[in-house]
Amino acid sequence: MLLALAHAVRTSGARKFLEEALARVDIRLDGGRPWDVQLHDERALRRIIIDGSLGLGESYVDGWWDCRELDGFFTRLLRSHMDERWRIRDWLDEFRSRLINRQKPSRVREVAHRHYDLDPGLYRAMLGEQRIYSCGYWRQAGTLEQAQYDKIDLVCRKLGLRPGMRVLDIGCGWGAAAHHAATMYGVEVVGITISHEQAVVARERCRDLPVEIIEQDYREMQGEYDRIFSIGMFEHVGHHNYRTYMKAVRRCLKDDGLFLLHTIGANRSSCSLDGWLDRYIFPNAVIPSAQWLTAAVEGEFVIEDWHGFGPDYDRTLMEWHRRLDESWSRLDRPYDEKTRRLWRYYLLSCAGSFRARKNQLWQMVLSPYGVAGGYDPVR
């Protein structure tokens, strides 16, 4: 494969090379179906061959190619594992990430500054007023609002929250889960986040409740809690720090407590993220594999329950895209077309990834010593 790539770059065979490769997964260059690629600039071909996923995303954002259904395009591409066949730049990123702790304390706030602290109007348009930026639970839901309510309530029920408990929310976002737990279950909540903008919103949302919002990294956590949960934050921890994270949670959890971890999961162990997502959306993020998770948990917790509902993220991402696309012209702050294409590519490529079952969504319930008599799974 590498020899074929090199030959395609050196010669004028880039188009033929990609046409043949895409044809194997039923995608055509300049075809007429919704998932086919419409090529606007021939430079995109060499850029994709040389830079892989990074070149694919950058050339799309630059307007060098289009596709009416990006989610369908990525579903076909990723289901075939074609993305794994030319990953020269990704291999270099993987090697670097194995050597360097990209999520060390001095770098941990980079993702907050570059992503989570962005225009609140954009997030409100995409996520809704609740601003819940994680996978919804669509088992009985017909709307995004209901799916997000059901997800947060599922977390509370899995943890068996009761009035008077003290609960820690690691990566509390804009405070929706802390608000729900305090309001519906009568618990006291401490929420931590590295995003200043999220902390401001969360404090305002929970100002009349027994909820404290603290701007800090998980490594700085203090106190003792009956229950701990983390929803959509573990993807920013990094494999160098998984054991540190689990030890920090265990240090703060009572011996008879429960911890719920809600995270995207990978089918294969990797120390780096897709190159385009890493550069433009979630810098320094890593999606944990089952192997990484079990190694991090070993000796610290008993795994009581492992619940997967990855396909629900496909539906969640498609709804986020629909809302943002429909609201784009009404956003408080004007954005250029490249920014719109960037967000479209991000949301729809991720939807295709979950539809192809390339990525998963896991909720794990963990206890320090095992629940006496066994844990009764909640769905």
Side-chain angles (χ1 to χ4, degrees):
M1 176 57 74
L2 291 179
L3 291 175
L5 289 173
H7 179 73
V9 172
R10 287 197 309 269
T11 69
S12 60
R15 184 182 182 98
K16 181 180 179 182
F17 176 84
L18 284 179
E19 280 182 331
E20 292 176 351
L22 291 173
R24 289 194 286 271
V25 295
D26 194 29
I27 298 173
R28 300 171 190 159
L29 282 182
D30 297 321
R33 299 167 301 178
W35 60 86
D36 287 333
V37 171
Q38 306 302 313
L39 189 64
H40 304 312
D41 192 318
E42 293 285 330
R43 290 178 296 174
L45 301 173
R46 287 168 58 87
R47 195 170 179 182
I48 293 168
I49 290 174
I50 294 172
D51 289 336
S53 64
L54 181 62
L56 184 68
E58 288 182 336
S59 59
Y60 176 83
V61 172
D62 285 343
W64 291 7
W65 63 275
D66 269 305
C67 178
R68 278 185 288 158
E69 289 185 3
L70 273 175
D71 50 305
F73 166 81
F74 276 101
T75 301
R76 285 165 173 78
L77 194 71
L78 297 174
R79 194 174 278 160
S80 71
H81 305 287
M82 182 184 291
D83 61 306
E84 299 170 7
R85 298 174 191 173
W86 62 80
R87 296 184 59 192
I88 298 174
R89 182 181 292 272
D90 290 348
W91 293 337
L92 294 175
D93 290 341
E94 178 77 8
F95 180 71
R96 180 185 62 167
S97 296
R98 286 188 179 273
L99 296 178
I100 300 172
N101 184 358
R102 300 178 65 203
Q103 302 82 17
K104 60 186 178 181
S106 62
R107 302 183 63 172
V108 72
R109 284 172 172 79
E110 182 180 354
V111 69
H113 298 323
R114 289 178 52 188
H115 190 74
Y116 293 110
D117 288 345
L118 295 178
D119 176 15
L122 185 150
Y123 284 118
R124 191 180 303 110
M126 183 174 85
L127 307 175
E129 287 299 324
Q130 288 290 85
R131 276 176 276 187
I132 301 173
Y133 201 6
S134 53
C135 180
Y137 187 53
W138 292 90
R139 189 176 188 180
Q140 296 179 326
T143 66
L144 178 64
E145 286 73 18
Q146 187 64 50
Q148 294 293 16
Y149 179 97
D150 290 351
K151 183 268 301 296
I152 292 176
D153 201 63
L154 179 68
V155 169
C156 294
R157 290 187 291 117
K158 284 183 175 183
L159 290 174
L161 297 189
R162 299 187 304 275
M165 283 184 170
R166 193 161 187 258
V167 178
L168 176 63
D169 178 356
I170 305 174
C172 63
W174 290 279
H179 184 280
H180 182 90
T183 302
M184 304 302 295
Y185 290 87
V187 299
E188 174 188 341
V189 183
V190 173
I192 68 169
T193 176
I194 58 171
S195 166
H196 176 70
E197 296 300 324
Q198 288 185 335
V200 169
V201 173
R203 290 186 185 117
E204 176 61 23
R205 169 179 279 171
C206 301
R207 66 183 184 277
D208 297 324
L209 295 170
V211 175
E212 180 184 9
I213 304 298
I214 304 173
E215 292 180 49
Q216 67 175 195
D217 181 50
Y218 68 88
R219 282 164 279 225
E220 303 165 331
M221 297 184 310
Q222 299 294 329
E224 188 176 56
Y225 299 88
D226 299 287
R227 300 290 189 267
I228 300 177
F229 64 82
S230 181
I231 303 174
M233 172 271 176
F234 195 71
E235 298 87 341
H236 302 296
V237 172
H239 82 286
H240 289 286
N241 310 299
Y242 290 157
R243 287 289 287 180
T244 299
Y245 177 95
M246 292 299 175
K247 286 180 178 294
V249 173
R250 179 64 190 93
R251 183 182 69 242
C252 294
L253 184 65
K254 291 182 178 179
D255 288 348
D256 61 350
L258 291 175
F259 167 49
L260 185 142
L261 179 66
H262 171 117
T263 181
I264 297 171
N267 294 334
R268 295 185 180 182
S269 298
S270 175
C271 302
S272 60
L273 189 66
D274 167 87
W276 186 86
L277 288 172
D278 180 86
R279 179 169 295 187
Y280 293 100
I281 306 297
F282 298 117
N284 306 323
V286 178
I287 299 175
S289 66
Q291 181 183 24
W292 285 123
L293 282 169
T294 54
V297 164
E298 186 173 341
E300 299 294 334
F301 293 103
V302 173
I303 299 175
E304 301 286 359
D305 186 34
W306 194 318
H307 179 195
F309 49 99
D312 286 28
Y313 225 144
D314 174 14
R315 189 170 176 181
T316 302
L317 285 154
M318 293 302 293
E319 181 64 13
W320 288 348
H321 171 261
R322 183 190 67 80
R323 290 178 176 222
L324 185 59
D325 193 57
E326 290 178 355
S327 304
W328 194 262
S329 62
R330 302 191 301 274
L331 293 177
D332 297 334
R333 186 180 305 175
Y335 292 96
D336 59 20
E337 182 60 20
K338 287 188 68 170
T339 303
R340 185 173 191 172
R341 291 176 70 87
L342 182 145
W343 280 84
R344 180 187 298 140
Y345 186 90
Y346 153 48
L347 294 171
L348 295 181
S349 65
C350 289
S353 179
F354 281 97
R355 196 177 308 163
R357 303 310 307 278
K358 178 90 172 179
N359 288 327
Q360 313 304 323
L361 190 286
W362 295 324
Q363 284 190 353
M364 300 174 68
V365 177
L366 309 172
S367 67
Y369 299 113
V371 175
Y375 175 83
D376 189 13
V378 176
R379 298 292 183 268

